Amino acid sequence: MKFIVSILLTALLAFVAGLFTQFPWWVFAISSFVVSALIPQAPGKSFLSGFLGLFLLWVILAIIKDAANEHILSTKVSQILPLGGSFIMLILITGIIGGLISGFAALTGAYLKKS
């Protein structure tokens, strides 16, 4: 139960921090750190909950924003990068990068809580 609450709380705090504040894009790492420090879990589960919370949030938000312009911009960006014009790969890579940052921040919070 703590795992699911941690995923949802990480996604919710990251969304709120990005939507209602003027902080830089990486403010979600701080929210992942705080969630992981407040909800005690094993370090592996903490990393996974931070990763999944932000990965799902960013992928869903990217799909919503990308569908609004019929994938025009993301297709052009994926043609510049070595992705073969696949906007889906671009969205997944975006989610993985955000998930890794959030996961490592959550892992740091878990280790801090453990020590």
Side-chain angles (χ1 to χ4, degrees):
M1 187 66 180
K2 287 193 288 186
F3 182 72
I4 295 171
V5 169
S6 180
I7 290 173
L8 294 175
L9 197 56
T10 299
L12 178 69
L13 286 178
F15 181 73
V16 169
L19 188 64
F20 296 116
T21 63
Q22 296 297 322
F23 294 120
W25 66 269
W26 48 265
V27 71
F28 67 85
I30 298 169
S31 64
S32 300
F33 175 84
V34 169
V35 168
S36 179
L38 293 178
I39 300 176
Q41 296 185 70
K45 281 189 175 183
S46 184
F47 174 83
L48 192 59
S49 67
F51 180 87
L52 286 176
L54 204 83
F55 174 80
L56 293 173
L57 176 70
W58 272 18
V59 165
I60 290 169
L61 288 176
I63 288 171
I64 290 169
K65 294 290 186 182
D66 197 39
N69 69 2
E70 298 174 0
H71 315 292
I72 295 171
L73 181 61
S74 60
T75 302
K76 289 183 180 186
V77 171
S78 64
Q79 288 172 350
I80 294 170
L81 298 172
L83 300 175
S86 174
F87 65 89
I88 295 172
M89 285 299 295
L90 183 67
I91 290 172
L92 288 177
I93 289 172
T94 301
I96 289 170
I97 290 171
L100 283 174
I101 295 169
S102 178
F104 284 125
L107 185 65
T108 303
Y111 280 135
L112 183 70
K113 180 77 172 182
K114 199 173 188 180
S115 65

